[in-house]
Amino acid sequence: DTAVSQTPKYLVTQMGNDKSIKCEQNLGHDTMYWYKQDSKKFLKIMFSYNNKELIINETVPNRFSPKSPDKAHLNLHINSLELGDSAVYFCASSQDASGFGNEQFFGPGTRLTVL
Amino acid sequence: AQTVTQSQPEMSVQEAETVTLSCTYDTSESDYYLFWYKQPPSRQMILVIRQEAYKQQNATENRFSVNFQKAAKSFSLKISDSQLGDAAMYFCAYRSYMNYGGSQGNLIFGKGTKLSVKP
């Protein structure tokens, strides 16, 4: 069974469109994350979320919004897509936000290409 | 804010040889965790090894070991008996021990080192 899954794995779309990337974890974890990996392979946190709190990286445009229908899902919605949004987006989860044993498990990534 | 620096954009090693990847970090926290992640061409992020800052003993996982120097804020990864399958991007990452400064345990990554393994 896949621990953290993302759909789709590849997404090609036109500038200005609105799109969503879905993330699901079957590990029973409390905390989920979205990371962005740019064309130079640099990984940066976008959001972290548990059932109590959403923390947003201040550099993330408000066109990006995470939505969590339940503890196992954290979807990423992107409005008015721009060329610079092209990247690989990773979802991850951990048991909770603290403690050493809480390894983060990553999804396979979604490669978003904006034309 | 914490930062992680990997000063070697690319490294190369001969199969069966040993290679060391460098990582330094900056933090004012006394308790934290450090990680090395591997990202092969498949782009899956794979945890290689992790270290608790309060532990003086260096972590080891089979052919992978770290040299953790807390005072110097250095966390290098040594790969022994390199194999073709070790070829990948390697990322050093930092995580706060607790929810400091708005962190919820998210990872802070270095820019990565691309490791090539020559047969």
Side-chain angles (χ1 to χ4, degrees):
Chain A
D1 283 343
T2 304
V4 182
S5 59
Q6 293 178 230
T7 52
K9 289 191 177 158
Y10 297 92
L11 181 55
V12 180
T13 188
Q14 297 289 327
M15 208 164 51
N17 284 351
D18 302 338
K19 289 293 178 185
S20 295
I21 305 171
K22 295 184 177 181
C23 177
E24 176 182 2
Q25 53 94 4
N26 61 7
L27 299 165
H29 286 170
D30 287 330
T31 305
M32 296 183 73
Y33 310 84
W34 277 104
Y35 291 88
K36 178 181 179 180
Q37 186 172 41
D38 63 22
S39 59
K40 296 183 179 179
K41 302 289 187 181
F42 185 47
L43 277 150
K44 195 169 183 181
I45 185 70
M46 298 179 71
F47 305 99
S48 56
Y49 183 80
N50 63 21
N51 57 7
K52 301 173 186 175
E53 191 175 12
L54 168 68
I55 294 181
I56 303 171
N57 184 317
E58 60 187 14
T59 67
V60 175
N62 57 15
R63 298 181 295 102
F64 290 79
S65 57
K67 296 214 182 339
S68 180
D70 55 58
K71 200 174 80 166
H73 297 83
L74 184 66
N75 303 325
L76 182 64
H77 296 265
I78 315 169
N79 295 324
S80 302
L81 277 156
E82 300 179 356
L83 295 177
D85 298 333
S86 295
V88 179
Y89 293 85
F90 285 95
C91 177
S93 73
S94 65
Q95 187 172 349
D96 60 45
S98 62
F100 177 65
N102 295 310
E103 174 187 346
Q104 288 191 21
F105 291 82
F106 282 79
T110 296
R111 179 177 293 280
L112 171 64
T113 303
V114 182
L115 304 176
Chain B
Q2 296 81 28
T3 58
V4 177
T5 302
Q6 293 178 249
S7 58
Q8 306 151 316
E10 295 188 27
M11 292 281 285
S12 180
V13 64
Q14 203 72 32
E15 196 176 6
E17 297 294 309
T18 296
V19 65
T20 298
L21 308 184
S22 301
C23 173
T24 58
Y25 58 94
D26 189 29
T27 184
S28 58
E29 298 170 352
S30 57
D31 290 321
Y32 48 87
Y33 309 115
L34 296 165
F35 305 85
W36 278 97
Y37 277 86
K38 169 185 177 181
Q39 187 180 39
S42 68
R43 79 169 181 245
Q44 180 68 50
M45 294 292 289
I46 302 165
L47 178 65
V48 174
I49 199 165
R50 54 190 174 184
Q51 174 83 40
E52 298 158 289
Y54 66 85
K55 282 190 176 178
Q56 293 186 342
Q57 186 174 5
N58 290 325
T60 61
E61 287 286 343
N62 301 314
R63 298 182 295 106
F64 299 87
S65 61
V66 298
N67 183 2
F68 173 50
Q69 302 288 328
K70 191 172 183 180
K73 296 179 182 174
S74 170
F75 183 61
S76 61
L77 174 69
K78 185 170 85 171
I79 307 174
S80 304
D81 186 25
S82 296
Q83 300 175 0
L84 295 177
D86 295 333
M89 284 289 290
Y90 285 83
F91 293 95
C92 179
Y94 173 103
R95 181 161 74 83
S96 294
Y97 182 75
M98 295 294 288
N99 297 347
Y100 292 138
S103 159
Q104 266 202 99
N106 57 274
L107 296 166
I108 299 168
F109 288 94
K111 293 192 174 182
T113 297
K114 184 177 181 181
L115 178 66
S116 303
V117 181
K118 297 178 181 177

